[in-house]
Amino acid sequence: MLGLTLKETARVLNEGSVTAAELCAACVARARQVQQLNVFITETYDMAGQQAAESTLRHRQGSRLHVLDGIPVTIKDAFSTAGIRTTCSSRILRDYVPPYNATMVQRLVDRGAVLLGKTNMDEFAMGSGSVDSIFGPVRNPWKYNFQTRHQEQDSQPIRDSCHDLKPKSMQMRTMHHHVTSTEDSDWFITGGSSGGSAVAVAAGICKAALGSDTGGSVRNPASYCGVVGLKPTYGLLSRHGLIPLVNSLDVPGIFTRCVDDAVIMLGALAGHDPKDSTTVSDPFQPFSLPEHIDITRLHVGIPKEYHAPHLSEETLSTWKRAADMLEDAGARVSQVSLPHTPYSIVCYSVLCAAEVASNMARYDGLEFGHRGSDHSSTEALYAQTRHEGFNDVVRGRILAGNYFLLKRHYDHYFTQAQRIRRLIANDFRKVFEGGVDILLTPTTLSPARSYRWFVQADNRTRTEQEDVFTQPVNLAGIPAVNVPVSLSEDGLPIGLQLIGQSFQEKTLLTAAKWLEQQVNFPHLQLPDPSEMS
C-alpha cells in the first residue's frame, strides 16, 4: 500500500480493505526503516496513531470527513503546529512550540489527515540542497544504498502499530544525523529548501507533504527526488502560520506522487483566509482532471532565455523530447522570449536579503526562541543571541539586506530590484497575452548532484545556480509545477517545469497530467520495510 497514490489510497480506505490505522503503521515502519535519510526533525507518530484510530472509526461509521481522511501527510518544519515544536532547522527556534496551527496545517487536520511529523529543511528555508540544517542534511533516496550503511537505532521503543497509543502522548524526537566523514558523503542531495518533504513522498513515508516555495524550494527538490511539486499562484494558499522568509515571494507548496494527488491537495487547501490579507477573496472552486486529455488547442511556449549555461545534456535532451511530444500530439509549440530573465537572480537576491533582514529582526532572544547569556546590556544580549542562534548563511543575508536598505543605498538596490521585478512579471504577462497557455522549461540544471560536489561551493553560489529556472516564477507570482519525466543514465530523476497564468491552475495541471501520462515515470520502489531490517 506504500506504493499507492493518494487517490488510490483514499479509495481502498473507503472500501475498507485497509484501515487508516494499518496504513499509519505501515508508513511509520517505512519512516523508521529509512531514517538514515534524515527526513524528520520531529516525529509525531503517537499523535498520528490517535488520528488514524479516529479516522478508522469514522470510516466504519460511514462518516468520512474528506477524501484526505486517514491519509498520512508530513509538514515542512516552517509551518507552525500547535503543541509541536517548530524549529525552521535553526538553533534560535530549536525549542519553540507554537500555540496555534498554520492555516494549511489546520485545514489538513480538519479534513482528517494524519500528521506523521515535521520535516527537515535548510535553516529558515535559505538554501537549495537541504544541507544547511542544525539537524544535519537530508539524503536523497534515489541511488542510496541502505543495505551497506549503518542505521542508527531508534532511541524510542518501536511499536508494531500506531492505533493503541495513549491520547495526547506525542513522540518528539530530535534526529542527529550529521555528516562526519568523507566516506559518508557519497550520496545525492535532495534539493531544497523543502528536501525533507520531497523525500517523505518519494520514499513512500506519506502520500502528500507541505513545503514552502520562495524561489523554487518545492519544485527544485521535487525534480531531484522524482515527485510532483506544485507552487500555486501567490495568494491562492494562505501563508498564515508559515514562518516567513520573504513575505512577497513565499508560497505554501504541495508534494505528491502524481498530478491528480496535487489537485486533491490543492482543493483541500486553497481559498480565502481572513487571517492572511494576501489571500484572494474570490471563492476557490475545486476541480478534477479528465483521464483523456486533448491538447490540440494548447499553445506551449519555450523560453529561449532558459537555455542557460551549465544546462546538462541529459536535461536539455529531456526538454527537447517533451516539446516534440507535445507538438506531435497536436499542441502548438513555439519559441518565446522573456528578455529580463538574465537579471532575475540578481533581483531575487536583493529582494530576498532585504526582506530577510526585516523578518529576522523579530528573533532577539526576548520574546521566544534561543536567548544568549550575556546580560550586560540589551545590545550585548541581542548580539550574542543572534550570533549563536543563526548560521552563517542567515547572518550573511541579514547583513546584506540591511546594507541594501540603508538610506544611501535604498534607491540604488531595493528600488531598482523592484523595478526589475515588475519588468520580469510583465515579460510573463506579455507572453500569455500573446496566446501562450503554458511555458515548458527545465526545473534544474541537471539531475541531483552528490553531496560531496555540492558542498564544495558556498550556499549563495549553489542557490544562484540551482534557482535559475524557478525563481522568476516567484517574482511574477504565477503558478508552476515540476513533473518527473525521465531517469538519467545514472538512474536519477529529471524533472521539467510547466508554468501557467495566474489562477489558471486547472489548465496548468491538465497539461502536467497529460505529460505525466505520456512519460509513465518509473517512481522509486523501495523494498518492504521488513526486507530492509
Side-chain angles (χ1 to χ4, degrees):
M1 75 184 101
L2 295 178
L4 298 179
T5 65
L6 187 161
K7 187 176 182 179
E8 294 166 342
T9 303
R11 184 173 63 250
V12 298
L13 287 176
N14 200 41
E15 292 170 351
S17 54
V18 173
T19 68
E22 291 168 340
L23 175 62
C24 175
C27 290
V28 170
R30 168 56 58 81
R32 284 174 168 153
Q33 292 299 325
V34 301
Q35 62 179 311
Q36 300 158 275
L37 301 177
N38 202 20
V39 171
F40 289 110
I41 290 174
T42 303
E43 298 165 340
T44 58
Y45 298 160
D46 289 12
M47 183 182 75
Q50 178 186 353
Q51 292 173 331
E54 293 169 354
S55 176
T56 297
L57 182 60
R58 287 193 295 270
H59 277 86
R60 287 173 178 168
Q61 295 173 341
S63 56
R64 186 175 73 161
L65 295 175
H66 186 269
V67 68
L68 292 180
D69 200 342
I71 298 296
V73 299
T74 60
I75 311 294
K76 183 178 182 179
D77 204 30
F79 288 88
S80 296
T81 42
I84 304 172
R85 190 179 54 157
T86 300
T87 72
C88 277
S89 290
S90 177
R91 185 182 179 190
I92 207 159
L93 290 178
R94 185 176 188 135
D95 299 314
Y96 171 61
V97 179
Y100 68 97
N101 279 330
T103 296
M104 294 295 93
V105 175
Q106 190 61 50
R107 287 182 178 176
L108 290 175
V109 171
D110 291 344
R111 287 154 179 77
V114 174
L115 309 185
L116 294 176
K118 306 295 291 294
T119 56
N120 206 350
M121 55 183 280
D122 286 298
E123 182 168 339
F124 280 104
M126 299 185 203
S128 57
S130 295
V131 301
D132 290 312
S133 164
I134 62 165
F135 302 102
V138 189
R139 296 163 171 83
N140 197 322
W142 288 85
K143 309 296 288 183
Y144 192 87
N145 193 338
F146 293 94
Q147 300 300 327
T148 61
R149 296 179 188 270
H150 172 71
Q151 276 192 307
E152 293 189 13
Q153 294 300 312
D154 196 334
S155 62
Q156 300 289 337
I158 297 179
R159 297 178 174 86
D160 292 331
S161 64
C162 297
H163 55 277
D164 59 350
L165 303 178
K166 295 179 181 179
K168 299 184 180 179
S169 171
M170 187 180 303
Q171 185 179 354
M172 294 171 61
R173 183 167 62 84
T174 299
M175 309 289 285
H176 297 282
H177 292 244
H178 297 280
V179 175
T180 56
S181 66
T182 303
E183 291 74 16
D184 195 32
S185 63
D186 189 23
W187 42 267
F188 294 95
I189 63 165
T190 64
S193 62
S194 309
S197 291
V199 172
V201 174
I205 295 171
C206 64
K207 302 302 177 183
L210 283 184
S212 62
D213 193 310
T214 305
S217 288
V218 166
R219 290 158 288 154
N220 175 289
S223 178
Y224 284 159
C225 295
V227 297
V228 172
L230 172 64
K231 177 245 173 241
T233 304
Y234 185 88
L236 192 58
L237 268 60
S238 171
R239 293 185 297 109
H240 172 70
L242 171 61
I243 295 175
L245 173 62
V246 183
N247 300 68
S248 69
L249 301 175
D250 295 343
V251 177
I254 296 166
F255 292 98
T256 56
R257 193 177 178 88
C258 68
V259 175
D260 275 332
D261 290 355
V263 171
I264 292 172
M265 286 289 289
L266 183 66
L269 297 173
H272 177 66
D273 177 15
K275 297 177 181 178
D276 178 6
S277 62
T278 64
T279 53
V280 293
S281 56
D282 294 339
F284 178 77
Q285 297 296 330
F287 57 86
S288 59
L289 304 179
E291 284 302 311
H292 303 287
I293 299 171
D294 179 10
I295 63 166
T296 55
R297 296 184 179 181
L298 190 70
H299 186 180
V300 182
I302 308 294
K304 64 181 182 180
E305 289 81 8
Y306 281 54
H307 287 80
H310 311 298
L311 181 65
S312 74
E313 286 298 324
E314 287 183 300
T315 303
L316 178 60
S317 176
T318 300
W319 187 19
K320 289 180 177 178
R321 285 201 309 272
D324 290 342
M325 289 168 54
L326 287 159
E327 193 165 36
D328 291 344
R332 179 185 173 189
V333 179
S334 60
Q335 186 179 81
V336 298
S337 179
L338 301 169
H340 295 94
T341 297
Y343 308 107
S344 64
I345 193 65
V346 177
C347 170
Y348 172 83
S349 297
V350 171
L351 296 178
C352 179
E355 292 200 41
V356 163
S358 175
N359 281 324
M360 296 299 116
R362 73 193 67 189
Y363 304 108
D364 54 17
L366 297 181
E367 296 183 74
F368 51 83
H370 173 73
R371 177 181 293 183
S373 58
D374 188 349
H375 295 157
S376 60
S377 69
T378 304
E379 290 76 12
L381 176 62
Y382 285 177
Q384 185 185 49
T385 295
R386 292 161 68 80
H387 179 76
E388 293 175 348
F390 295 136
N391 68 7
D392 291 342
V393 175
V394 178
R395 292 199 300 269
R397 292 203 193 186
I398 292 171
L399 288 170
N402 282 319
Y403 177 85
F404 297 146
L405 293 173
L406 288 173
K407 183 177 181 180
R408 62 180 179 273
H409 298 147
Y410 188 90
D411 287 340
H412 185 64
Y413 290 103
F414 186 75
T415 303
Q416 287 289 79
Q418 291 284 36
R419 289 170 177 163
I420 294 172
R421 180 179 185 176
R422 174 63 63 185
L423 293 173
I424 291 168
N426 286 340
D427 286 346
F428 284 106
R429 180 181 56 79
K430 290 175 183 177
V431 165
F432 290 131
E433 287 178 350
V436 170
D437 298 304
I438 60 167
L439 300 173
L440 175 68
T441 78
T443 306
T444 56
L445 287 168
S446 68
R449 301 279 196 165
S450 72
Y451 173 80
R452 189 179 304 172
W453 176 89
F454 190 82
V455 296
Q456 289 175 1
D458 59 67
N459 176 285
R460 178 180 176 181
T461 300
R462 291 296 184 230
T463 300
E464 289 180 354
Q465 292 171 339
E466 300 300 324
D467 291 349
V468 62
F469 299 127
T470 53
Q471 44 77 28
V473 169
N474 296 78
L475 292 171
I478 55 181
V481 61
N482 172 78
V483 179
V485 172
S486 65
L487 295 180
S488 69
E489 291 183 0
D490 294 329
L492 295 168
I494 298 175
L496 294 179
Q497 177 179 230
L498 296 174
I499 303 171
Q501 303 179 53
S502 292
F503 304 108
Q504 297 299 313
E505 272 77 6
K506 185 173 183 179
T507 300
L508 172 68
L509 292 172
T510 299
K513 181 175 180 178
W514 181 90
L515 181 60
E516 179 183 70
Q517 290 174 332
Q518 307 311 306
V519 300
N520 194 25
F521 179 77
H523 286 280
L524 181 67
Q525 298 292 336
L526 294 177
D528 185 87
S530 61
E531 300 174 19
M532 298 175 61
S533 301

